Amino acid sequence: MNEQKRLNAFESGRTVREAVRKYLDHRKNDCGLKQTTVDLEKRRLAYLVDYCDDQGINTISELASHDPDKYRSWRRTAATSEVDTLAKSTVNSHMKTIVRFVKFAREREDE
């Protein structure tokens, strides 16, 4: 899926996507992050939305119980656009964003 399609994926109303939208809104409005930082997290989470679609993961509970090493491996090798394998530091940065997102989403799952 190309970059624009990933970014547009937030427009449909699936549960993981809704949680991503809430998270990004929280990061921008409640945490006071700059728009460039929020955009970076949006790009990172767009890959997560792709992965969830590929794996049939629809809810935050399903995502939270999923093996994070499977996502890490997928992100490092299968979801690259310009290189064969992403650098470990890039994958680690993505994983930190994912961990923050899942924690946020789990805390607000019943809202």
Side-chain angles (χ1 to χ4, degrees), residues 62-73:
E62 291 171 344
L63 176 61
S65 66
H66 193 74
D67 182 0
D69 287 333
K70 287 183 180 181
Y71 175 78
R72 182 188 310 271
S73 176

Side-chain angles (χ1 to χ4, degrees), residues 10 15-25 45 49 101:
F10 297 109
T15 305
V16 172
R17 288 188 178 104
E18 288 174 2
V20 167
R21 281 195 298 268
K22 287 180 182 180
Y23 172 78
L24 293 171
D25 182 61
L45 291 168
V49 170
F101 163 69

Side-chain angles (χ1 to χ4, degrees), residues 6-84:
R6 266 194 305 283
L7 295 176
N8 291 340
F10 297 109
E11 298 308 315
S12 69
R14 296 182 72 186
T15 305
V16 172
R17 288 188 178 104
E18 288 174 2
V20 167
R21 281 195 298 268
K22 287 180 182 180
Y23 172 78
L24 293 171
D25 182 61
H26 165 75
R27 297 288 283 165
K28 181 178 181 182
N29 297 318
D30 299 337
C31 297
L33 297 179
K34 292 183 179 182
Q35 187 61 48
T36 53
T37 303
V38 174
D39 290 343
L40 175 63
E41 289 194 342
K42 182 178 181 178
R43 284 191 300 275
R44 290 175 178 170
L45 291 168
Y47 285 104
L48 179 67
V49 170
D50 284 352
Y51 178 78
C52 288
D53 287 346
D54 290 347
Q55 298 295 311
I57 298 169
N58 296 310
T59 67
I60 296 303
S61 294
E62 291 171 344
L63 176 61
S65 66
H66 193 74
D67 182 0
D69 287 333
K70 287 183 180 181
Y71 175 78
R72 182 188 310 271
S73 176
W74 175 86
R75 182 64 188 104
R76 188 158 194 202
T77 58
T80 60
S81 57
E82 298 178 12
V83 295
D84 291 332

